[in-house]
Amino acid sequence: MQVIMNNVLKLGRLKCRCTLPKAFSKTTLSFMIASSLASSLQAAPYLLGSQDKLKITVYEWRASTSNAYEWAALSDEFTVSASGDLSLPLLGEVPASGKTTSELASTIAELLKNKIGLSKRPDASVEVSEYRPFYILGLVSKPGPYPYRPDMSVLQAISAAGGMSRLTDLGLMSYEREALVSRGDLRLLNAERLGLLAKRARLEAELQEAASISFPPELSDVKNSQEISRILKEEGLLFSERRNALRSQEEAISQTKLLLTNEIEALKSKSQALQRQQDLVSKQLNAINTLMSKGLTITSRQLSLDQTVSQFESNRLDVNLLILRAQQDLSKADRDILDIKNRRRNEILTETADVRAKLSANQEKSDTSQALIYNSEVKAPQMLMEQSGEIDRKMTFIISRNVDGHLKSFVATEGDSVEPGDTLKIEKKTADNGSIPKLLEPKASFLR
């Protein structure tokens, strides 16, 4: 402020026609400059936004009882939604984003008065119980979201995130430990992948009803590996067992079909024999009927032969019914064989789809593990070495802030204020005062 005051006094001594009144002393000028600076440096009112938690209290003074009545339904904590609104009982959605707490309190009171039909507005107060977070990333110990505190500076935000990241033996050991864990995960994923490849080859052989499994070169070329040999042996045994089980079911049904076929042939022979006997008896009955018409035989003989014909007819119908039932069972046996094959095919297709999905997930995890290994063993230590001894002298602070619906970024200093919702990025300066390039992950095939 002293520098500014001196500059102003120098302006007064410039050769110009402007003169200060005699009563306008140096002390008066200093006071006016200080007042102007204090006025310009006053903190702007806090504007509400998404994720702010607000404590709202609504009450009204009832002169009849000389008591302040609190509206319990509206006196609670509420969170500003992603759309910038508050969902309040009785009022519904109330716009809150971009308003101060006093403006929001006035809006709530006015809405209550108009909606309920009160003669005067109730009193409402709004207090921020929890500010929306800000985010910090880059060269800090613990990047991530952090709760906002009023009048927070960039330096305080960095302190909340554990300070600047440092090159230490412990840090290098943590990267080495992460690389070891990632390599262990990669070995497990590789073993899982080999098992899935063998299973897929076995399922394809079952689907094609092949006599043996045709394993991919990735497996067949490394049979000397004990683990690969075990996988191939297990899949081969499982293939044989499932094929034998399917054949056993088909053979059992085929035996049933053979028995039913033989039974049908026997029943047909029996039906033919009954038909022949029935024809003979029918001839005798016709002869008796002729004699009866001439009065040469008795009625009892005719009745006996008639009953015999009826009996043969009934027996032949029973045999024909048994033939139909046997034919139905034979058709059912054919359907059973077809159902077994279709059910087995559906199971194979379902397992194949599951194996395909697991292989895809396995590939994604393997690529991620390889990228983590590369970052932990190469890029991260390299960056830490570059930062060693320079992290305090060559840092740049970039704040990204939503201004009127647009994301704007600007370079800040340690004393600049951080607002809720801001993203503070700590980077190393380059020769052109820009930020260091982003860390690019290697391709998945880099470490294969």
Side-chain angles (χ1 to χ4, degrees), residues 398-410:
I398 300 175
I399 294 179
S400 298
R401 180 174 299 163
N402 193 318
V403 180
D404 296 331
H406 300 283
L407 187 63
K408 296 185 178 180
S409 300
F410 57 91

Side-chain angles (χ1 to χ4, degrees), residues 166-167 383-391 393 428:
R166 294 283 182 176
L167 176 63
M383 290 179 62
L384 286 176
M385 293 297 295
E386 291 175 356
Q387 297 163 17
S388 178
E390 301 179 354
I391 201 161
R393 294 183 289 109
K428 179 184 175 183

Side-chain angles (χ1 to χ4, degrees), residues 190-204 213-219 228 231-232 235 355 359 362:
N190 187 52
E192 181 188 25
R193 179 172 173 271
L194 295 176
L196 291 172
L197 289 175
K199 184 177 180 180
R200 184 176 65 179
R202 188 251 303 167
L203 291 172
E204 290 175 351
I213 306 175
S214 178
F215 290 105
E218 189 172 357
L219 295 174
I228 300 298
I231 292 174
L232 299 185
E235 292 297 335
V355 168
L359 278 172
N362 180 277

Side-chain angles (χ1 to χ4, degrees), residues 417-430:
S417 297
V418 176
E419 296 183 3
D422 283 357
T423 298
L424 173 61
K425 189 173 183 180
I426 317 299
E427 293 183 338
K428 179 184 175 183
K429 291 181 181 177
T430 57

